[in-house]
Amino acid sequence: MLKIAEHEFNSRLFTGTGKFSSAKLMLEAIQASESQLVTMAMKRLDLSTGSDEILLPLQQSGIKLLPNTSGARNAKEAVFAAELAKEVLNTNWIKLEIHPDPKYLMPDPVETLAAAKTLCDKGFVVLPYVHADPVLCRRLEEVGCAAVMPLASPIGSNQGLATETFLKIIIEQARVPVVVDAGIGTPSQATHAMELGADAVLVNTAIASSPDPVAMARCFSQAVATGREAYLAGLGQVSSRAEHTSPLTGFLNE
Amino acid sequence: MHLTKAPLDLKHVSTITVSINDQPYIIAETLSIEGLLLAQNIAINSVAVVCNSQVVTKGQWKEQRCIEGDSFEIFAVVAGG
């Protein structure tokens, strides 16, 4: 069972709530994913349209809500966003994300580390979204983050595990859960991340942008469970040459 | 004898001007923050309120009165990854 801070999760698939064509579809997909933690964002309310009608059904579902600081351009704004999220959702959990660059949404490591320290000192359970940088992940762990969330590839890109080499190092070194976040585009990529030993994966776009998000959510659920089981079972060694699996006795000639 | 200048408000209710998310609103001067939210049909369980760059916690919404020139920012939870 996955444990982050003192909270236990049966499912190792976390999901985002963005980009779904309707709130109804989003809720159905999350249910199909069996996810027990979903991310949400904070935004200035548009008084003419009112708020999204997603909060109440999600709260009623009993799924843990993880607000993010998306939109924050620096540590100060991220800390402010976390305070707002705490006020609305009555949670001290925060997905810390600071990505001022609009084209690639690359997380700013300097601001993220500064914000993480401040938020941890204030008693938040901080899950920072970062580049797959093993050194940074260690530093975030040292300031008290409850998990680290290195990216597989750019947010929403569906490019898969572009950072695999570095994810392996992070997984090897981490003493807090590693949640591979961003860029996972297919269930097989989620399986692969779990086979590497990731503690969980976070998927949003790959589910939300599928023509059948509910079916895709189910596929990701199975994929993550399979990857975890394979990791626990232990993968075989990779060899550069063939290793025979049948006896080589040449019986036809003997 | 000098007459006191009559209030501008025709309903004889003193009003103030505040801004909510950069838009000006004329409201009764006795309004609390909770009253302000309700008057705007804002679902009070799903928002956070910032007044003049300071977060106002839910516990303060009933007591804290709006004053002339207050700048409110209202934030809500939305879908996101």
Side-chain angles (χ1 to χ4, degrees), chain A residues 12-25:
Chain A
R12 290 172 182 271
L13 172 61
F14 299 159
T15 49
T17 56
K19 295 187 182 174
F20 287 89
S21 58
S22 73
K24 182 173 175 288
L25 201 54

Side-chain angles (χ1 to χ4, degrees), chain A residues 91-230:
Chain A
T91 178
N92 63 346
W93 284 48
I94 191 74
K95 179 185 172 188
L96 173 61
E97 49 180 302
I98 304 173
H99 37 72
D101 151 42
K103 184 173 182 185
Y104 295 110
L105 301 176
M106 287 291 111
D108 182 324
V110 178
E111 296 294 322
T112 301
L113 183 59
K117 179 160 189 346
T118 303
L119 288 168
C120 289
D121 289 348
K122 284 173 177 272
F124 280 87
V125 174
V126 183
L127 293 83
Y129 165 67
V130 286
H131 207 294
D133 179 340
V135 178
L136 178 62
C137 286
R138 287 294 290 270
R139 296 290 298 269
L140 288 162
E141 197 178 304
E142 285 165 13
V143 300
C145 290
V148 288
M149 303 182 77
L151 60 83
S153 50
I155 292 175
S157 70
N158 290 343
Q159 290 180 41
L161 303 183
T163 56
E164 179 173 345
T165 301
F166 307 101
L167 290 173
K168 285 179 183 168
I169 299 171
I170 292 167
I171 290 165
E172 181 197 321
Q173 294 182 344
R175 286 162 298 185
V176 293
V178 177
V179 182
V180 177
D181 183 12
I184 291 179
T186 67
S188 61
Q189 291 162 0
T191 303
H192 190 52
M194 296 306 294
E195 286 170 348
L196 296 178
D199 294 280
V201 297
L202 197 155
V203 180
N204 189 160
T205 301
I207 294 173
S209 64
S210 164
D212 189 344
V214 177
M216 186 57 81
R218 208 176 298 120
C219 294
F220 268 99
S221 174
Q222 294 163 1
V224 168
T226 298
R228 179 64 184 175
E229 278 191 48

Side-chain angles (χ1 to χ4, degrees), chain B:
Chain B
M1 187 178 167
H2 294 282
L3 289 174
T4 329
K5 199 174 178 184
L8 289 172
D9 190 291
L10 295 174
K11 290 176 189 165
H12 303 291
V13 175
S14 298
T15 59
I16 54 171
T17 303
V18 300
S19 75
I20 306 176
N21 292 355
D22 300 329
Q23 295 294 315
Y25 287 83
I26 297 169
I27 60 168
E29 74 169 350
T30 54
L31 213 52
S32 67
I33 288 179
E34 186 177 277
L36 176 72
L37 297 174
L38 292 171
Q40 301 300 324
N41 289 321
I42 293 169
I44 59 172
N45 291 325
S46 62
V47 295
V49 176
V50 175
C51 178
N52 305 327
S53 305
Q54 297 292 319
V55 178
V56 187
T57 58
K58 280 197 170 81
Q60 300 169 272
W61 289 2
K62 272 190 200 299
E63 291 102 50
Q64 188 166 329
R65 304 279 151 193
C66 303
I67 57 173
E68 174 70 33
D70 270 349
S71 172
F72 292 99
E73 289 179 282
I74 317 272
F75 292 86
V77 173
V78 295

